[in-house]
Amino acid sequence: MFISYSDCFNVIILYYMDFNLKEYLSPKNLQKDLASGLVVFLVALPLCLGIALASGAPLFAGIITGIIGGIVVGAVSGSQLSVSGPAAGLTVIVFSAIASLGNYQVFLLAVLLAGAMQILLSIVKAGTIANYFPSSVIEGMLAAIGIILIIKQLPHAVGYDGDFDKYATFTDEEGGHVFLGISHALGHFNMGAALISLVAIAILIFLPRIKKLSFIPAPLLVVISGIALAKLFAGTPLMIGSDKLVNIPEVANLGAFFNLFQMPDFSAIGQKQVWITAATIAVVASLESLLCLEACDKMDPIKRVSPTNRELFAQGTGNIVSALVGGLPMTSVIVRSSANINSGARTKMSAIFHGILLLLSILLIPFVINSIPLSCLAAILLLTGYKLAKISLFRKMWKNGRDQFIPFVVTVVAVVFSDLLTGVTIGMMVGIFYILRTNLRNPYFYTITPNGDKKVITITLSQEVSFLNKAAIQYTLTHLPEGVAVVIDGSQSRYIDIDVLEILHNFKENAASKNIDVQLVNIKEYYVVPKLDSLIVSPQKS
């Protein structure tokens, strides 16, 4: 009897879905989940279109990604409240990747490989990966993405939908500097589109502040106002052309819908750039999803804890399915997730329902979607970019001290002036430098007490003294004054690195040449790295 790969995959899917239908379909939960799913759908529809626009991808791909993020990832994920879909944090990667790979089908292959990498990360239990990235670097990456979003959406906001993309860089390699591009766009703007953007920005800023109207999703009102103004401007000097409206294919039935799907180009599997793009998407998408998952758990009224490795599996599954039908890479998204939680969602059925509504919208009302001005989508993305790179974030990082602010700013500048992977790598190097710098300062506690004619210097070593502390300890021992008594106390240490032990013993042997008395207290000849289970303290029996 043979078992196919598809059978194995189906077994894994069923295991990870682990549906508790009694809980999900209970009237009490279902009522709140359906209402929340409707709100999330209204928020997600313009965001799916806007992010596809910012990514330089077909607008249809944005909605497809939202559908899969809701239905597939929603079903497989262990999180009850997070909502997945195309993410603003991936727009820079997607835009650059489509341009560098030269073909959308080749890019889809990179997305599929990224999904496979995420599943592999879940298998090797890499769900804690986000804990190993300095928060200053992650904040810097998101702020840089916000700045790039603003730069790229300004032309669309003023109605210039021409060849600005060749200017969307701070280098001259593609024929233009970004500031020249913005100047060019401002010289060819459409007054009607610019007014729609201004109205949209005003709604996004002021509607949430009006308590009586705060229940209305601001992006929904932006879309409604944009469609209404576009109709109102028809036949006037403010008229905006059809080229400045959303343009997705209109389908008559499910068969025509399925015919719109695009498949990855598997012939490009040997291209190095495909694998680099896939690895970049896998790492960034996994980080963003895990960070969003942590935020959702904190906002959850019931304080449930979502399994991180299962989330990586769910995101990987979603990206594979998305790539197979022509969609974009996805992550768990904080905007949709927070809207879901604030609307009273109880289970993952709200995310699944929002995905179903996205599917129905593209099947039943594509003519309404095609009436949305691109400028109002750009306005939504401008505010999204500002939220990622708001001035208060820079102030907060400044107040956190130089160890946080410098890696943050370096990451922002590096990402904006190069690319995401290079920028984050540079930021990581600076962040790790400051982590090591801080770590080197904390290997021991240092006290000086008088004892007759001699001073007694007591050096109490920390619980963990690693190789990273070697330089600081070596420096301290080398610069001790002559004629003192030194007590090096290892009573609190569970582990001392072999290189540090060598320094301590060598110092004791040679200290007499500087008239220094040395006493080593509770320092072993050799230490074994403590096992994880030995760190767990069992309760004592009474």
Side-chain angles (χ1 to χ4, degrees):
M1 180 179 179
F2 296 96
I3 300 176
S4 67
Y5 289 113
S6 62
D7 291 336
C8 294
F9 190 74
N10 290 336
V11 170
I12 293 172
I13 287 290
L14 289 172
Y15 171 76
Y16 273 100
M17 284 172 67
D18 188 25
F19 260 104
N20 185 349
L21 290 178
K22 185 177 180 180
E23 177 187 359
Y24 298 152
L25 299 180
S26 70
K28 182 179 178 181
N29 287 340
L30 196 58
Q31 181 181 2
K32 292 184 177 180
D33 288 337
L34 292 178
S36 300
L38 176 61
V39 172
V40 177
F41 157 72
L42 296 173
V43 172
L45 178 60
L47 286 174
C48 288
L49 293 168
I51 289 168
L53 174 68
S55 302
L59 299 185
F60 179 76
I63 299 181
I64 286 294
T65 311
I67 294 169
I68 295 166
I71 299 174
V72 177
V73 178
V76 181
S77 171
S79 173
Q80 298 299 320
L81 299 178
S82 69
V83 182
S84 297
L90 294 177
T91 53
V92 177
I93 299 174
V94 174
F95 182 84
S96 301
I98 293 173
S100 62
L101 295 174
N103 185 293
Y104 189 69
Q105 285 72 30
V106 176
F107 167 73
L108 292 178
L109 176 62
V111 177
L112 186 146
L113 293 173
M117 291 177 186
Q118 287 181 297
I119 291 178
L120 182 61
L121 288 173
S122 77
I123 293 172
V124 300
K125 309 296 182 185
T128 58
I129 184 174
N131 297 329
Y132 296 97
F133 278 71
S135 60
S136 57
V137 175
I138 295 172
E139 294 278 13
M141 176 190 75
L142 294 174
I145 290 170
I147 292 170
I148 294 171
L149 267 179
I150 292 170
I151 292 171
K152 289 179 63 176
Q153 294 309 308
L154 274 174
H156 293 297
V158 297
Y160 179 74
D161 303 298
D163 57 350
F164 174 76
D165 290 338
K166 74 176 184 178
Y167 296 103
T169 173
F170 278 93
T171 67
D172 293 321
E173 295 176 3
E174 299 296 328
H177 193 281
V178 65
F179 295 121
L180 292 176
I182 292 175
S183 175
H184 183 71
L186 292 176
H188 295 78
F189 73 94
N190 179 284
M191 182 62 74
L195 286 174
I196 290 173
S197 294
L198 289 174
V199 170
I201 290 172
I203 291 172
L204 291 167
I205 292 174
F206 295 110
L207 183 66
R209 300 181 184 181
I210 304 173
K211 291 183 179 180
K212 292 183 179 180
L213 300 178
S214 60
F215 67 94
I216 302 174
L220 171 64
L221 195 56
V222 164
V223 168
I224 294 173
S225 67
I227 294 174
L229 288 173
K231 298 292 185 185
L232 184 64
F233 293 160
T236 72
L238 298 176
M239 182 180 69
I240 61 175
S242 58
D243 60 321
K244 293 174 173 46
L245 301 176
V246 168
N247 182 21
I248 62 170
E250 296 190 15
V251 293
N253 50 53
L254 275 176
F257 174 70
F258 291 136
N259 288 335
L260 295 173
F261 292 170
Q262 299 187 60
M263 287 287 290
D265 182 2
F266 290 96
S267 65
I269 192 73
Q271 293 184 20
K272 179 181 176 182
Q273 189 59 38
V274 170
W275 288 91
I276 294 174
T277 301
T280 305
I281 292 173
V283 171
V284 176
S286 297
L287 277 173
E288 189 166 341
S289 294
L290 293 173
L291 291 170
C292 177
L293 197 68
E294 183 180 353
C296 288
D297 287 346
K298 289 179 180 178
M299 291 187 288
D300 185 359
I302 310 176
K303 300 302 178 187
R304 289 165 287 192
V305 178
S306 304
T308 54
N309 292 311
R310 180 167 167 178
E311 184 65 21
L312 288 179
F313 181 89
Q315 295 296 331
T317 303
N319 278 322
I320 289 175
V321 176
S322 182
L324 290 173
V325 297
L328 298 170
M330 69 185 68
T331 72
S332 179
V333 188
I334 193 62
V335 175
R336 273 156 271 192
S337 300
S338 59
N340 191 38
I341 295 168
N342 294 333
S343 301
R346 299 298 295 272
T347 73
K348 62 173 67 180
M349 287 303 297
S350 59
I352 295 172
F353 183 56
H354 117 275
I356 294 171
L357 288 176
L358 284 172
L359 176 60
L360 292 177
S361 72
I362 202 171
L363 290 174
L364 302 178
I365 54 168
F367 57 91
V368 175
I369 297 174
N370 284 339
S371 300
I372 302 173
L374 294 175
S375 56
C376 73
L377 297 180
I380 293 173
L381 289 167
L382 284 175
L383 264 292
T384 301
Y386 176 74
K387 288 178 181 178
L388 290 173
K390 52 189 175 183
I391 297 172
S392 60
L393 174 62
F394 286 79
R395 290 175 182 163
K396 172 190 166 187
M397 299 306 295
W398 173 261
K399 290 179 180 178
N400 286 344
R402 197 170 49 177
D403 293 0
Q404 291 288 308
F405 185 72
I406 292 179
F408 166 76
V409 170
V410 168
T411 304
V412 171
V413 174
V415 170
V416 170
F417 281 86
S418 59
D419 59 75
L420 193 71
L421 185 59
T422 303
V424 170
T425 302
I426 294 171
M428 278 291 294
M429 292 171 63
V430 176
I432 290 171
F433 167 78
Y434 276 96
I435 290 172
L436 295 178
R437 185 169 173 265
T438 302
N439 190 277
L440 291 175
R441 295 175 177 177
N442 297 289
Y444 53 80
F445 302 97
Y446 189 103
T447 60
I448 302 175
T449 55
N451 185 12
D453 296 334
K454 274 193 172 184
K455 291 182 180 178
V456 178
I457 297 175
T458 303
I459 299 175
T460 305
L461 299 178
S462 300
Q463 188 176 33
E464 301 289 335
V465 185
S466 70
F467 172 80
L468 299 176
N469 305 126
K470 176 180 175 182
I473 292 174
Q474 178 77 73
Y475 179 87
T476 299
L477 296 179
T478 303
H479 290 81
L480 287 173
E482 295 186 7
V484 298
V486 179
V487 178
I488 303 176
D489 187 358
S491 302
Q492 299 181 17
S493 302
R494 293 179 59 85
Y495 176 75
I496 301 177
D497 186 83
I498 187 66
D499 287 343
V500 176
L501 288 173
E502 184 179 355
I503 289 173
L504 298 179
H505 290 299
N506 287 343
F507 174 72
K508 181 179 180 181
E509 291 175 8
N510 301 307
S513 63
K514 295 179 65 176
N515 192 26
I516 296 175
D517 297 329
V518 179
Q519 181 183 2
L520 301 182
V521 178
N522 292 326
I523 293 180
K524 303 175 185 178
E525 292 294 325
Y526 181 75
Y527 286 79
V528 178
V529 178
K531 296 181 179 179
L532 181 61
D533 55 3
S534 69
L535 302 177
I536 302 174
V537 180
S538 301
Q540 296 181 354
K541 295 181 180 180
S542 55

